[in-house]
């Protein structure tokens, strides 16, 4: 079993490599922040005296290091969960025809599930170890930002403890395993014919499937309850009170989590709606049909960029509503690692679909399409993905504006009008450029095989 596990990883290295890249990037961000936190706590423990408000510097800096580091790590964990869930499930779904051949040759469902989970475990271990090594440069970049925000004392240096590797492995390997657990279970439950044909497993409702649906509904209900509870708390608390501000921030992040949970259903609807626009040309028709047919790939592509846009909408929305004075350096110190994780995941998901995208282009050329038509379809596919992320990000921004209006006492429309539209335009433009360039580059990377070779290619 071990030999087959490792051989399959080598055979499909082109897709598993990108999952490893995401895992290593997430591990580096988590490990680097733990190192920065350890250094901040160590320098705070050695501090003496009081600040200008008469508070002990040791106590104040220790509390600041704990609070800010916990917030940063929570943001990274959220981005890591969103990204690794998409990439791990997608990489297993891409190889289901091979899994069908294994089953046809006599492999039992339990053995197939064990091999797939073992592959995910190897990726998680590599991500944890690689992240532990790359965490040092991440920590050295984070410490100056924390010092600039007065969360760490000048002279702070990153510190590493063996326990940090355990926490990193828990986040990274846990994210990879949980993300691919459902895909591995579906592959083991499907028949050989369904796997070889590339279809999903049958619609038989088993106890495990019911429990999976209940867990997902529970998460959606939890986020929805958080949104409702925050709305009630913000409305009942007085304007500009700490309770109202905290409720607004909690409600905004709950909204982001709720939209991310609903993204697998919302993204296909939005991209199909884009297809109804009165645009003409074969490139637009091909792009909209491709996004509609590959809804799983579209949702996995949009989700990481949605996380990035949502973070910008929430934090800068609070600033525009007068509930904070965060600068760009402060935003990068708080959410820079989460943005790096999300952005890496978005590019990785696009790159993992390169072989499928090249075969689609080969089919179009075989049908007589011009190269510029194929290129236009690829660019427009990137536009559709970016448009889906921006559309859902705008939903998060509008609901955030309503929360901030309740906390500040201003009108809802006025608060939304003063929203962070410049910042959202910037991150939306970066999303558009990233998706378009990544789609085109992934479809044209490597050598130039003939159309017949592409159509016969399996991976």
């Amino acid at each position: 079993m071990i030999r087959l596990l490792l051989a399959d990883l080598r055979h499909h290295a082109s897709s598993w490599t990108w999952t490893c890249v995401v895992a290593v990037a997430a591990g580096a961000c988590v490990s680097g922040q733990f190192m920065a936190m350890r250094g901040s706590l160590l320098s705070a423990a050695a501090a003496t005296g009081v600040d200008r408000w008469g508070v002990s510097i040791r106590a104040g800096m220790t509390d600041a290091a704990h609070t800010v580091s916990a917030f940063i790590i929570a943001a990274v964990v959220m981005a890591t969960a969103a990204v690794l869930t998409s990439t791990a499930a997608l990489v297993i779904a891409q190889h289901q025809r091979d899994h069908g051949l294994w089953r046809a040759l006599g492999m039992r469902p339990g053995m197939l599930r064990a091999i797939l989970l073992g592959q995910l475990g190897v990726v998680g271990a590599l991500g944890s170890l690689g992240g532990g090594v790359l965490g040092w440069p991440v920590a050295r970049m984070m410490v100056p930002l924390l010092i600039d925000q007065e969360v760490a004392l000048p002279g702070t240096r990153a510190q590493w403890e063996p326990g940090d590797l355990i926490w990193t492995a828990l986040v990274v390997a846990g994210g990879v395993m949980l993300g691919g657990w459902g895909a591995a279970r579906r592959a083991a439950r499907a028949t050989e014919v369904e796997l070889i044909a590339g279809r999903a497993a049958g619609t038989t409702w088993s106890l495990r499937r019911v429990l999976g649906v209940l867990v997902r509904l529970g998460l959606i209900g939890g986020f929805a309850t958080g949104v409702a509870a925050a709305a009630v708390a913000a409305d009942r608390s007085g304007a500009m009170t700490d309770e109202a501000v905290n409720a607004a921030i909690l409600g905004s992040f709950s909204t982001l989590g709720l939209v991310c949970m609903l993204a697998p259903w919302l993204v296909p609807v939005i991209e199909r709606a884009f297809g109804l626009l009165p645009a003409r040309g074969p490139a637009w028709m091909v792009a909209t049909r491709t996004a509609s047919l590959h809804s799983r790939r579209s949702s996995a592509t949009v989700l990481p960029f949605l996380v990035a846009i949502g973070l910008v909408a929430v934090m800068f929305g609070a600033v525009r509503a007068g509930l904070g004075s965060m600068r760009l350096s402060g935003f990068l110190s708080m959410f820079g690692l989460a943005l790096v994780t999300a952005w890496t995941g978005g590019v990785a998901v696009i790159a993992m679909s390169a072989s499928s995208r090249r075969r689609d282009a080969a089919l179009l050329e075989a049908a007589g399409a011009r190269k510029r038509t194929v290129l236009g379809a690829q660019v427009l596919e990137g536009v559709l993905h970016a448009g889906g992320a921006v559309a859902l990000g705008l939903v998060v921004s509008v609901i955030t504006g309503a929360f901030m209006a309740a906390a500040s006492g201003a009108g809802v429309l006025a608060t939304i009008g003063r929203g962070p539209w410049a910042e959202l335009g910037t991150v939306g433009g970066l999303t558009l450029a990233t998706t378009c360039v990544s789609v085109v580059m992934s479809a044209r990377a490597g050598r130039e095989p003939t159309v017949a070779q592409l159509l016969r290619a399996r991976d």
Side-chain angles (χ1 to χ4, degrees):
M1 185 181 77
I2 301 298
R3 183 178 299 176
L4 176 61
L5 185 153
L6 297 177
D8 188 65
L9 286 176
R10 289 194 302 269
H11 181 65
H12 296 295
S14 59
S15 54
W16 282 107
T17 297
W18 284 105
T19 308
C20 289
V21 168
V22 177
V24 169
C29 293
V30 174
S31 178
Q33 182 53 41
F34 272 115
M35 294 180 190
M37 182 184 70
R38 303 292 184 192
S40 301
L41 293 175
L42 187 63
S43 62
T48 58
V50 296
D51 57 20
R52 59 180 179 272
W53 293 287
V55 180
S56 171
I57 296 178
R58 176 185 298 179
M61 296 304 295
T62 300
D63 290 342
H66 275 125
T67 302
V68 174
S69 296
F71 201 85
I72 295 173
I73 292 173
V76 174
V77 168
M78 183 180 73
T80 300
V83 169
L84 290 180
T85 298
S86 301
T87 54
L90 185 61
V91 73
I92 290 178
Q94 286 180 332
H95 305 149
Q96 57 184 349
R97 289 181 174 83
D98 289 341
H99 305 155
L101 291 175
W102 296 350
R103 290 287 308 279
L105 292 175
M107 180 178 289
R108 292 173 297 175
M111 181 66 71
L112 174 60
R113 182 168 58 241
I115 289 177
L116 297 180
L117 293 179
Q119 291 175 332
L120 295 174
V122 171
V123 172
L126 291 176
S128 302
L129 294 175
V133 174
L134 296 179
W136 282 105
V138 173
R140 292 190 180 98
M141 290 188 295
M142 285 298 298
V143 168
L145 291 174
L146 296 177
I147 293 175
D148 180 68
Q149 298 301 310
E150 299 182 354
V151 177
L153 293 172
T156 297
R157 294 184 178 180
Q159 299 291 328
W160 181 81
E161 292 185 5
D164 296 343
L165 183 60
I166 298 177
W167 286 107
T168 303
L170 184 64
V171 173
V172 177
V176 174
M177 295 290 288
L178 290 176
W181 185 277
R185 183 170 51 83
R186 287 191 295 272
R189 192 176 65 237
T191 65
E192 296 89 335
V193 175
E194 289 172 337
L195 290 171
I196 294 175
R199 299 197 305 265
T203 58
T204 303
W205 285 87
S206 63
L207 178 60
R208 290 182 177 179
R209 187 177 182 184
V210 172
L211 290 177
V213 172
L214 291 178
V215 169
R216 177 167 293 186
L217 291 176
L219 291 174
I220 294 174
F223 282 117
T225 302
V227 173
V232 172
D235 183 65
R236 292 181 177 178
S237 304
M240 301 304 293
T241 60
D242 291 340
E243 292 80 7
V245 174
N246 292 334
I249 297 296
L250 175 62
S252 300
F253 277 109
S254 298
T255 300
L256 176 58
L258 179 61
V259 174
C260 289
M261 288 297 301
L262 295 175
W265 295 281
L266 295 177
V267 170
V269 173
I270 292 174
E271 294 191 347
R272 289 191 185 100
F274 286 152
L276 299 177
L277 295 176
R280 296 183 178 180
W284 176 255
M285 184 185 67
V286 169
T288 53
R289 291 295 297 167
T290 300
S292 177
L293 290 174
H294 299 285
S295 58
R296 181 189 297 270
R297 187 175 75 186
S298 300
S299 301
T301 304
V302 167
L303 186 58
F305 297 107
L306 170 60
V307 172
I309 295 173
L311 290 175
V312 173
V314 171
M315 297 312 298
F316 284 101
V319 174
R320 293 293 181 270
L323 303 182
S325 57
M326 178 177 287
R327 296 173 297 168
L328 179 60
S329 59
F331 178 80
L332 292 178
S333 65
M334 295 289 288
F335 298 106
L337 298 182
L339 291 176
V340 170
T341 303
W343 223 263
T344 303
V347 174
V349 169
I350 294 174
M352 287 168 61
S353 306
S355 59
S356 175
R357 198 169 283 112
R358 284 195 290 267
R359 284 195 294 271
D360 291 343
L363 283 172
L364 290 175
E365 292 185 15
R370 299 179 179 180
K371 288 187 177 295
R372 66 180 183 181
T373 302
V374 176
L375 177 61
Q378 293 167 352
V379 172
L380 289 175
E381 183 185 350
V383 171
L384 286 173
H385 295 326
V390 171
L392 293 178
L394 290 178
V395 173
V396 175
S397 181
V398 170
I399 298 177
T400 297
F403 275 113
M404 299 306 166
S408 62
V412 175
L413 294 180
T415 304
I416 294 175
R418 295 196 306 268
W421 302 115
E423 290 82 359
L424 289 175
T426 300
V427 71
L430 291 175
T431 299
L432 177 63
T434 302
T435 54
C436 292
V437 172
S438 298
V439 168
V440 174
M441 292 297 293
S442 67
R444 298 174 179 272
R447 61 186 179 89
E448 288 288 342
T450 64
V451 172
Q453 290 173 329
L454 275 173
L455 293 177
R456 289 196 303 266
R458 295 178 60 252
D459 189 27

